[in-house]
Amino acid sequence: MKIRFSIALVLLLTTGLFAQAQLPKPTDLQMRWQKMETIAFVHFSINTFTDMEWGYGNESPELFNPTNLDCRQWVKICKDAGLKGVILTAKHHDGFCLWPSAYTEHSVKNSPWKNGQGDVVREFADACKEFGLKMGLYLSPWDCNHPDYGKPEYNQYFKNQLTELLTNYGDLFEIWFDGANGGRGYYGTDSLHNRSISEDYYDWQGFVDIVRELQPNCIVHGGGLPDIRWVGNEEGHAGKTHWSSLLPNGQFSKDKSHPAQLNEGHENGTRWLPSETDVSVRPGWYYHASEDHQVKSLPRLMDIYYESVGRNSLLLLNLSPDKRGLVHPIDSLRLLEWKRQLDQDFRENLITSACRFSSNVKKHVMKAFDDDYSSYWQASEAGSFLEIDIKKTVTINRLLLQEYIPEGQRVKAFRVEYFEDGSWRELASETTIGYKRILRFLPVTTSKLRVTFEEMLAPVMITKVAAYNAPILLAQPVIRRNQQGMVSIYSPEKHGEVFYTTDGTTPTRESNRYEKPFLSDGDVTIKAVVYSGSNHGELGEQYFGISKANWTVVGTDSSKLPLFDGNPNSSWVSPKNQREAIIDFGAELSFNGLTYLPDQARWAQGIASGYRISVSADGENWTVVLSGDFSNIRNNPITQTIELGKTVKARFLKFEATSVVDNQPVLGIAEINIAQTK
């Protein structure tokens, strides 16, 4: 009896301390959703035809007239890229509906497309069914067009439209409720047409109840966070530490921003709310011809995959069909390149059944290395390890680990080592794993690996460990020039050589080899490429205009200013409550536009949402040239191009923020440039 009691006591001390019953766990619906790993967004609506990101709601439906709309093309591209589902923006903030809703005239039924008889949602649903991809829909609660928005009656209108979408188009795997609101529409009273609403205006519970009743197998994004959460940014990365659990809103820390906590989750979270990483292939969500050259590079898309799926999140990758109603060839080719690269990265798992496996917990150790997610190896004590003897020398640069998350997320810290020259060397020391964690590192050559689980919230359950040797990706180099005219060339690939030219010719291995920054001030085009052996990557090209060596910011005592240094990761911030920058070019210049890149820090300061541009010959007498607003700059703080509409001559330029995101009292500028007329 005493022996049995002692055994029970040991079990209590080793497992009870973890408080397993307190760990939040995913529902079957959340598990099915997580296993999809990569899905697509499609932003296509009236904004496509007005060249805007956020419409005002007063756009005429007659503007919507795609000449060659083909939802089959969209969905086939997604399928060929390995994406498992597609979500279409059925209605964005402007209120324009891509289906002939019975509850509004602001829809495709009043457009010239197919003489008002068309239904984009129907064609989209049919395409998803044909190609075997799951279908999702985005429905914005914010509606700038509807006259009842802001009144109690609007909630019923929204429920009516939600019911239409959930009953007429087949099974949905996800419904997307956007959190943006504010009522910007043509019915407003000020220049931005703003109307604020109370936090409890939307009947979120009523919306979710309709989804649960009509589409019980549909995951809900937004709407009070019933199923999944936003990752906290639109840049494409989850936190390196990333928990699928989250505390209720009222229990968030006061010492860290809300987006930062969404990005990392909470170790002590009480709800299972896995994250969805939404990011666009282009800078914006809707198609803009001006962004055709800004489709994300293959290396950047690979980074996005590893920093989303590879960090325990699900990737939602956006496509933007153009005015024809087709995905642009640049975008589709990039997605196919991305799929091919992923296939190569994970082509061969170097940990096979021929390896020798050992552990301090030998029971079920093989289950950590099979291809069955439902089987797992379990260890209850910190310091437990899995050791793999590959029995031959291999080179690896990727390690994939998965937890058995139906029983909750448990790993808090782990260490990876490899065997070299008779001893173990540390390869990585990391925190969370979750559904999937993929580590990238410089190639190491070894015959043995060891993973040690140093901290855990409950007995660790590992369902997969795999190692790969991904091919080197020769990325396009980044070319920058600072205020003093010194040029630096950065290659994302650490295993290659950079060659460059300054005369406009295409560089080869016979060109200048980049070794350190060099002086090239004034008007010049620099081209560079990365070589590895006889192979080379994409050509990098950057044009630099006039010298900024003599540019200063009035009132700032510094000759090296971050808003002129060519580095998007450094920023100048105005004094408190000033929210303006006065630039002295040092001489009179002619120009007809400028670009503004806001502070790019994760917790950016002073992002201008409204602006006023003034010029002066003497720095005292000013002429206002242009005023305007930046659309959706809060979540998409990219370079903003301002066209003045005429050529001006001035020595001084004043850039004022007439409004700032979150009403911060400062203006932040990462880079500012002018477009000079020759």
Side-chain angles (χ1 to χ4, degrees), residues 150-216:
K151 303 174 184 177
E153 293 82 356
Y154 175 78
N155 278 294
Q156 184 57 52
Y157 168 76
F158 187 80
K159 291 177 182 178
N160 292 339
Q161 291 197 321
L162 179 61
T163 300
E164 285 183 315
L165 293 175
L166 297 181
T167 55
N168 294 332
Y169 297 99
D171 294 336
L172 302 183
F173 82 94
E174 182 170 342
I175 187 76
W176 224 88
F177 297 141
D178 201 310
N181 63 69
R184 193 180 75 177
Y186 65 91
Y187 50 75
T189 56
D190 63 284
S191 61
L192 281 179
H193 309 295
N194 286 314
R195 176 186 291 178
S196 61
I197 62 171
S198 63
E199 291 184 4
D200 60 352
Y201 170 64
Y202 296 123
D203 181 12
W204 287 126
Q205 190 57 55
F207 303 162
V208 173
D209 287 345
I210 291 174
V211 179
R212 296 285 188 252
E213 177 186 354
L214 299 177
Q215 295 272 357

Side-chain angles (χ1 to χ4, degrees), residues 44-49 55-66 89-101 104-113 118 120-121 138-140 142-146 157 161 165 286:
F44 178 73
S45 189
I46 197 78
N47 291 340
T48 307
F49 299 88
Y56 285 92
N58 61 348
E59 298 85 1
S60 170
E62 293 185 2
L63 294 173
F64 184 86
N65 193 20
T89 52
K91 184 187 80 167
H92 204 252
H93 311 325
D94 48 76
F96 184 80
C97 300
L98 292 183
W99 77 102
S101 174
T104 182
E105 297 303 307
H106 199 51
S107 82
V108 291
K109 68 184 180 184
N110 287 314
S111 76
W113 176 63
V120 180
V121 178
Y138 167 114
L139 187 66
S140 171
W142 182 14
D143 191 317
C144 296
N145 174 268
H146 201 275
Y157 168 76
Q161 291 197 321
L165 293 175
Y286 285 95

Side-chain angles (χ1 to χ4, degrees), residues 321-337:
D322 58 25
K323 292 181 179 181
R324 299 171 302 166
L326 298 174
V327 174
H328 196 284
I330 296 175
D331 306 55
S332 58
L333 288 173
R334 188 57 43 80
L335 277 190
L336 295 179
E337 290 175 346

Side-chain angles (χ1 to χ4, degrees), residues 115-405:
N115 296 316
Q117 301 303 306
D119 185 339
V120 180
V121 178
R122 169 58 60 202
E123 295 190 15
F124 172 71
D126 291 344
C128 288
K129 185 176 181 179
E130 177 182 349
F131 289 102
L133 266 63
K134 295 183 182 296
M135 176 182 65
L137 294 173
Y138 167 114
L139 187 66
S140 171
W142 182 14
D143 191 317
C144 296
N145 174 268
H146 201 275
D148 285 341
Y149 184 81
K151 303 174 184 177
E153 293 82 356
Y154 175 78
N155 278 294
Q156 184 57 52
Y157 168 76
F158 187 80
K159 291 177 182 178
N160 292 339
Q161 291 197 321
L162 179 61
T163 300
E164 285 183 315
L165 293 175
L166 297 181
T167 55
N168 294 332
Y169 297 99
D171 294 336
L172 302 183
F173 82 94
E174 182 170 342
I175 187 76
W176 224 88
F177 297 141
D178 201 310
N181 63 69
R184 193 180 75 177
Y186 65 91
Y187 50 75
T189 56
D190 63 284
S191 61
L192 281 179
H193 309 295
N194 286 314
R195 176 186 291 178
S196 61
I197 62 171
S198 63
E199 291 184 4
D200 60 352
Y201 170 64
Y202 296 123
D203 181 12
W204 287 126
Q205 190 57 55
F207 303 162
V208 173
D209 287 345
I210 291 174
V211 179
R212 296 285 188 252
E213 177 186 354
L214 299 177
Q215 295 272 357
N217 294 317
C218 181
I219 208 94
V220 178
H221 175 282
L225 300 179
D227 294 324
I228 58 177
R229 75 180 194 260
W230 180 49
V231 79
N233 64 72
E234 293 181 349
E235 300 161 11
H237 59 81
K240 291 185 70 175
T241 296
H242 198 74
W243 296 97
S244 292
S245 52
L246 205 68
L247 291 166
N249 286 338
Q251 297 178 30
F252 273 41
S253 170
K254 299 291 193 296
D255 300 325
K256 187 180 290 187
S257 75
H258 200 89
Q261 293 179 74
L262 290 173
N263 191 246
E264 296 180 0
H266 297 127
E267 175 188 328
N268 61 336
T270 56
R271 302 175 294 167
W272 187 271
L273 280 176
S275 71
E276 185 177 68
T277 300
D278 60 321
V279 60
S280 185
V281 171
R282 290 168 168 261
W285 293 94
Y286 285 95
Y287 177 82
H288 308 289
S290 61
E291 294 178 353
D292 283 350
H293 67 292
Q294 292 180 294
V295 174
K296 287 181 172 57
S297 67
L298 176 57
R300 180 66 193 118
L301 286 181
M302 293 301 293
D303 285 343
I304 286 170
Y305 175 84
Y306 281 109
E307 293 173 8
S308 56
V309 176
R311 291 182 180 174
N312 186 38
S313 187
L314 179 140
L315 174 58
L316 174 57
L317 191 61
N318 181 68
L319 292 175
S320 312
D322 58 25
K323 292 181 179 181
R324 299 171 302 166
L326 298 174
V327 174
H328 196 284
I330 296 175
D331 306 55
S332 58
L333 288 173
R334 188 57 43 80
L335 277 190
L336 295 179
E337 290 175 346
W338 177 68
K339 175 61 165 56
R340 284 195 294 269
Q341 188 66 43
L342 285 173
D343 288 345
Q344 292 179 39
D345 280 16
F346 301 104
R347 180 174 56 85
E348 182 184 6
N349 180 8
L350 299 174
I351 300 177
T352 69
S353 57
C355 299
R356 183 182 297 113
F357 305 101
S358 59
S359 171
N360 62 312
V361 181
K362 294 180 172 51
K363 186 177 181 181
H364 301 314
V365 68
M366 293 295 294
K367 291 186 176 182
F369 304 98
D370 60 22
D371 289 323
D372 182 1
Y373 185 80
S374 64
S375 69
Y376 53 86
W377 166 84
Q378 179 172 327
S380 60
E381 61 185 54
S384 293
F385 66 88
L386 289 167
E387 188 173 309
I388 307 106
D389 182 354
I390 304 174
K391 296 198 291 189
K392 62 180 180 180
T393 300
V394 297
T395 299
I396 65 169
N397 56 15
R398 304 283 189 274
L399 189 71
L400 182 152
L401 303 102
Q402 288 187 274
E403 284 187 77
Y404 183 71
I405 61 171

Side-chain angles (χ1 to χ4, degrees), residues 443 470-477 491-499 507-509 513 528-538:
I472 294 175
L473 179 60
L474 297 174
Q476 182 184 70
S491 170
E493 179 53 63
K494 299 178 177 64
H495 308 286
E497 297 177 292
V498 177
F499 295 87
T508 67
R509 270 195 165 277
R513 184 176 183 273
V529 69
V530 182
Y531 272 88
S532 178
S534 60
N535 298 321
H536 63 81
E538 295 179 67

